[in-house]
Amino acid sequence: MQLHVVIPSFNAPTDRLSRAVRSALNIDHVARVWVIDDGSAEPVRRADLPEDGRLMVVRQDNAGPSSARNHGLELAADADAVVFLDDDDELLADGVQALLELGDQLGASGLVGARVEVQEGAEGDALAAAEPTPTFRAVPTEWAEQALPSPSDVFAPLVIFSGSGLLVTTIALEAGVRFDTDILIGEDRDFLRACGE
């Protein structure tokens, strides 16, 4: 199993990016971790990240998150599966293993794994909270560990996709599914819909 992790990054604080990279390097089967610096004001320096020969840092002119993810897909051309990770999230080892097993079981082209964290204030209003408190919600049972009935269903409960961990298998990679570079917000949801189709 050749597993690659792609982390697009733009102006991320070094400590935050390092946590994301470290979490990816701790996953079994990870052959490469690609950090795609999407034209950050201060370029990502390899020396500031965890020391590991599997880590590669590539800089491109600022072109947006879809372009950075597509660049990572090109670099991961020999991978059996690719995991996309945002630079402000961390992968959980057992979560990635569960995604790989579920992908095999379902014959899926793309899977999402997330621990859904919701920031809520005293009144339960996530947006109006002055000092939100993190709470965790389980993924709805009708969505857990099964294929979506329709590719368009990926747009329904957006809260499910508040976490990272989009795993793409060879089915989508060989079909040439790519991120739409015209989409700057929700590009990962649109990509997953394209995997479903």
Side-chain angles (χ1 to χ4, degrees):
M1 164 63 67
Q2 255 310 343
L3 181 62
H4 288 211
V5 178
V6 173
I7 305 174
S9 186
F10 178 70
N11 290 338
T14 302
D15 60 334
R16 184 179 85 189
L17 179 57
S18 290
R19 279 195 304 274
V21 167
R22 199 171 299 108
S23 76
L25 291 169
N26 286 334
I27 304 297
D28 288 341
H29 310 299
V30 168
R32 275 285 178 258
V33 174
W34 301 96
V35 172
I36 311 298
D37 179 358
D38 188 35
S40 298
E42 293 287 327
V44 173
R45 294 175 357 124
R46 175 66 185 83
D48 293 336
L49 298 174
E51 185 70 33
D52 193 298
R54 297 172 294 162
L55 175 61
M56 303 293 159
V57 176
V58 178
R59 184 170 169 83
Q60 68 175 32
D61 291 339
N62 181 254
S66 292
S67 175
R69 286 181 172 91
N70 285 340
H71 193 167
L73 276 175
E74 292 167 17
L75 295 168
D78 63 340
D80 296 314
V82 176
V83 175
F84 290 98
L85 178 66
D86 290 346
D87 63 16
D88 62 348
D89 282 324
E90 296 177 51
L91 290 175
L92 302 175
D94 56 349
V96 172
Q97 185 59 40
L99 283 177
L100 290 168
E101 291 171 7
L102 186 60
D104 283 345
Q105 177 187 331
L106 298 175
S109 59
L111 300 99
V112 172
R115 180 177 63 183
V116 180
E117 181 177 339
V118 181
Q119 304 282 339
E120 292 184 344
E123 299 92 35
D125 184 345
L127 296 177
E131 292 187 32
T133 305
T135 58
F136 296 99
R137 293 185 186 163
V139 172
T141 55
E142 65 271 16
W143 281 69
E145 298 184 17
Q146 58 189 332
L148 299 180
S150 164
S152 63
D153 286 347
V154 77
F155 290 102
L158 298 181
V159 71
I160 287 180
F161 302 102
S162 65
S164 278
L166 172 58
L167 184 140
V168 184
T169 68
T170 51
I171 297 169
L173 298 174
E174 291 172 358
V177 178
R178 296 296 181 262
F179 289 86
D180 184 338
T181 56
D182 291 332
I183 300 176
L184 299 178
I185 298 174
E187 73 284 348
D188 49 352
R189 294 180 191 93
D190 181 69
F191 180 85
L192 193 63
R193 177 201 51 77
C195 287
E197 289 180 347

